[in-house]
Amino acid sequence: MWERIRDEVLERIQNRVWRPGDLIPNEEDLAVEFGCARATINRALRQLSDDGFLERKRKAGTRVALTPVRHARLSIPIIKDEIESSGANYSYALIHRGIAVVPTHLALRLKMDSALCVQALHLSDGQPYLYEDRWISSTALPDVLQESFENISANEWLVRNATYSEGEIAFQAEAATKRDSEILNVKEGAPLFVLERTTRGDEGVITWVRMAYLPGHRMVSPI
Amino acid sequence: MWERIRDEVLERIQNRVWRPGDLIPNEEDLAVEFGCARATINRALRQLSDDGFLERKRKAGTRVALTPVRHARLSIPIIKDEIESSGANYSYALIHRGIAVVPTHLALRLKMDSALCVQALHLSDGQPYLYEDRWISSTALPDVLQESFENISANEWLVRNATYSEGEIAFQAEAATKRDSEILNVKEGAPLFVLERTTRGDEGVITWVRMAYLPGHRMVSPI
DNA sequence: GAGTGGTCTAGACCACTGT
DNA sequence: CAGTGGTCTAGACCACTCC
């Protein structure tokens, strides 16, 4: 029912019955029109508001957004699923694991002097797919020092063992460094799609990761 | 009230009172615990489920997600706002406007033979910021041929005049072409963050756009 | 002050799905 | 079949904010 209402309202917006900036009828009137309770109308309109199609204010009423759809919901790759869903065979290779001093360009973000560095390559049908460079705080997660990461990816280990509270994710294009190029088997300077993710717990950064995709990778989302 | 419940449940997940994969109490029991109606519990849990923290199934109950937070909500840039929110001055320059045959690499996606091509540069404090290459279907939007796009960006015009229904957005890294490099004033081959967006109405593609950012651009989202 | 959306309640029925 | 979440209702009060 609320979905029917949501779709009907969306259609009116898309067919310009209600145009960007227009005020639409209030919940009570719509409830009468659709022959349902106000709560049901509220459910439908709240969804459309969350999705960016409507803007709602008390007393001022509900308006069609001037800039429809301002958000895209990107699914963050769980690499294994991402590769297997394309029908390919997933594998994982540990490249490096060791306690190290955090590079200066990261030190500010991480606010820790030394951490466990885990570097790994994710492969699709045996071909390089993604190079993961991860730093894990051994202060926040002392247990991490017991794990070899030879058979389990850092991602999976963290999901099972870490208590996180918030973080950020960033996307950008970077030229392949010498190391990137050797590991991913591409030319130095090739344009790489890079995802950086910082995860924090209650007491500061738990982990920071840079994931560099093979050139040509696209991250797609319906809108 | 429902926000208090949401936060409390989230805290229990983050403090591992309820661990990934665990079944949590059903709505009725939680309603008793929190001293509220079941609908209020439902509201809180539905939100957490939408956000990817919980997985809910009828009869099976509610479990803590094994892969917490699988989604990032990216705000799609309204270029003007994006630049002005950084405190810089926004300007816009039309580079090219004309009816043209759609390049073959686009023809499949667009399914139209000829279209209006609008190319423009968005500037931040007078410096190149983003190169926009857009194709607009003149079949779907005959009015577009009357617009010069000298004083209004295609983006803004489309928001006001187009009826869209759905689309996709894709992000990737690309090496700057010769044309990119001339317009953005960067080296040929520089890694560009590129956003492609296809927008469809009821009768096919309305517009396709490629937006190439200056090297170094980051798209960031809280998680 | 008054109109609007935001939320809560108590109760009900239904749809799905694990057993 | 039975337990769980999904939804709907009718009514209520409240918070915000425009006038």
Side-chain angles (χ1 to χ4, degrees), chain A residues 14 16 50 53 66 68 70 72-74 76 159-160 163-164 167 169-172 196 218-219 221 223, chain B residues 14 16 50 53 66 68 70 72-74 76 159-160 163-164 167 169-172 196 218-219 221 223:
Chain A
Q14 288 172 354
R16 323 203 103 235
D50 286 349
F53 292 102
L66 282 171
R70 291 226 270 258
R73 199 171 184 182
L74 283 189
I76 304 305
V159 165
R160 294 203 197 149
T163 299
Y164 72 95
I169 191 160
F171 306 91
Q172 62 193 313
E196 282 182 9
R218 284 164 67 88
M219 179 162 275
S221 161
I223 206 166
Chain B
Q14 289 172 353
R16 325 203 101 234
D50 286 350
F53 292 103
L66 282 171
R70 286 212 279 250
R73 201 167 185 190
L74 282 190
I76 304 305
V159 165
R160 293 202 197 151
T163 298
Y164 72 95
I169 192 161
F171 307 91
Q172 62 193 313
E196 283 183 9
R218 285 165 65 88
M219 179 162 275
S221 162
I223 206 167

Side-chain angles (χ1 to χ4, degrees), chain A residues 175-191:
Chain A
T177 63
K178 188 153 179 300
R179 186 166 173 83
D180 290 331
S181 69
E182 287 163 3
I183 289 171
L184 289 170
N185 193 27
V186 298
K187 276 192 197 155
E188 201 172 333

Side-chain angles (χ1 to χ4, degrees), chain B residues 30-42:
Chain B
L30 288 173
V32 173
E33 180 190 336
F34 285 100
C36 67
R38 190 174 71 104
T40 307
I41 297 291
N42 182 279

Side-chain angles (χ1 to χ4, degrees), chain A residues 163-166 199-206:
Chain A
T163 299
Y164 72 95
S165 56
E166 42 115 24
T199 308
R200 276 180 286 273
D202 289 337
E203 293 159 21
V205 171
I206 294 174

Side-chain angles (χ1 to χ4, degrees), chain A residues 6 44 69 90 130 178:
Chain A
R6 177 200 58 191
V69 184
Y90 172 77
L130 170 76
K178 188 153 179 300

Side-chain angles (χ1 to χ4, degrees), chain B residues 80-221:
Chain B
K80 190 166 184 279
D81 298 349
E82 186 180 32
I83 289 174
E84 287 178 347
S85 74
S86 75
N89 199 356
Y90 172 76
S91 55
Y92 163 85
L94 183 65
I95 295 170
H96 173 83
R97 177 197 178 283
I99 299 280
V101 173
V102 177
T104 48
H105 67 279
L106 277 184
L108 272 178
R109 211 181 296 246
L110 292 182
K111 286 178 188 150
M112 39 183 176
D113 298 334
S114 73
L116 185 72
C117 169
V118 178
Q119 298 180 330
L121 184 64
H122 299 262
L123 303 104
S124 170
D125 279 344
Q127 296 299 309
Y129 180 81
L130 170 75
Y131 168 39
E132 171 178 353
D133 181 7
R134 185 183 286 274
W135 296 78
I136 306 172
S137 163
S138 54
T139 324
L141 297 167
D143 290 352
V144 78
L145 300 173
Q146 313 295 321
E147 177 58 50
S148 74
F149 292 110
E150 272 170 24
N151 300 312
I152 184 175
S153 79
N155 193 343
E156 210 170 324
W157 189 90
L158 283 161
V159 165
R160 293 202 197 151
N161 296 278
T163 298
Y164 72 95
S165 57
E166 42 115 23
E168 304 109 33
I169 192 161
F171 307 91
Q172 62 193 313
E174 287 183 23
T177 63
K178 187 153 183 298
R179 186 165 174 82
D180 290 331
S181 68
E182 287 163 3
I183 290 171
L184 289 170
N185 193 26
V186 299
K187 276 193 197 155
E188 201 171 333
L192 302 181
F193 185 82
V194 170
L195 185 162
E196 283 183 9
R197 191 170 172 180
T198 308
T199 307
R200 275 181 285 274
D202 290 337
E203 293 159 20
V205 171
I206 294 173
T207 181
W208 175 92
V209 64
R210 170 185 184 266
M211 308 213 272
Y213 284 85
L214 213 62
H217 181 79
R218 285 165 65 88
M219 179 162 275
V220 184
S221 162

Side-chain angles (χ1 to χ4, degrees), chain B residues 56-72:
Chain B
R56 319 192 72 202
K57 261 193 227 166
R58 281 160 158 136
K59 163 79 180 174
T62 301
R63 289 179 183 281
V64 178
L66 282 171
T67 53
V69 184
R70 286 212 279 250
H71 300 280

Side-chain angles (χ1 to χ4, degrees), chain A:
Chain A
M1 181 69 175
W2 73 267
E3 290 177 307
R4 190 173 72 76
I5 295 167
R6 177 200 58 191
D7 293 346
E8 170 64 25
V9 170
L10 194 49
E11 203 155 309
R12 289 189 195 174
I13 294 172
Q14 288 172 354
N15 293 338
R16 323 203 103 235
V17 178
W18 294 330
R19 292 156 176 260
D22 282 3
L23 202 58
I24 77 172
N26 69 29
E27 296 192 345
E28 207 162 347
D29 291 351
L30 288 172
V32 172
E33 180 191 335
F34 286 100
C36 67
R38 200 186 70 134
T40 307
I41 298 291
N42 183 278
R43 177 84 158 87
L45 298 190
R46 182 156 37 81
Q47 184 71 53
L48 289 169
S49 165
D50 286 349
D51 291 347
F53 292 102
L54 296 176
E55 280 169 8
R56 319 191 72 201
K57 259 193 231 169
R58 282 160 160 139
K59 164 79 181 174
T62 301
R63 289 180 184 279
V64 178
L66 282 171
T67 53
V69 184
R70 291 226 270 258
H71 299 281
R73 199 171 184 182
L74 283 189
S75 45
I76 304 305
I78 308 292
I79 311 303
K80 190 166 184 278
D81 298 350
E82 185 179 33
I83 289 175
E84 288 178 346
S85 73
S86 75
N89 198 355
Y90 172 77
S91 55
Y92 163 84
L94 183 65
I95 294 170
H96 174 82
R97 177 198 178 283
I99 299 280
V101 174
V102 177
T104 48
H105 67 279
L106 278 184
L108 272 179
R109 209 181 297 249
L110 291 182
K111 285 177 189 153
M112 39 184 175
D113 299 335
S114 73
L116 184 71
C117 169
V118 178
Q119 297 180 330
L121 183 63
H122 299 261
L123 302 103
S124 170
D125 279 343
Q127 295 298 309
Y129 180 82
L130 170 76
Y131 168 39
E132 171 177 353
D133 181 7
R134 185 183 287 273
W135 296 78
I136 306 172
S137 163
S138 54
T139 324
L141 296 168
D143 291 352
V144 79
L145 301 173
Q146 312 296 321
E147 177 58 51
S148 74
F149 291 111
E150 272 168 26
N151 299 312
I152 184 176
S153 80
N155 193 344
E156 210 170 324
W157 189 89
L158 284 161
V159 165
R160 294 203 197 149
N161 296 279
T163 299
Y164 72 95
S165 56
E166 42 115 24
E168 305 109 32
I169 191 160
F171 306 91
Q172 62 193 313
E174 287 183 22
T177 63
K178 188 153 179 300
R179 186 166 173 83
D180 290 331
S181 69
E182 287 163 3
I183 289 171
L184 289 170
N185 193 27
V186 298
K187 276 192 197 155
E188 201 172 333
L192 302 181
F193 185 82
V194 170
L195 184 162
E196 282 182 9
R197 191 170 172 179
T198 308
T199 308
R200 276 180 286 273
D202 289 337
E203 293 159 21
V205 171
I206 294 174
T207 180
W208 175 92
V209 64
R210 170 185 185 267
M211 307 212 273
Y213 284 85
L214 213 62
H217 182 80
R218 284 164 67 88
M219 179 162 275
V220 184
S221 161
I223 206 166

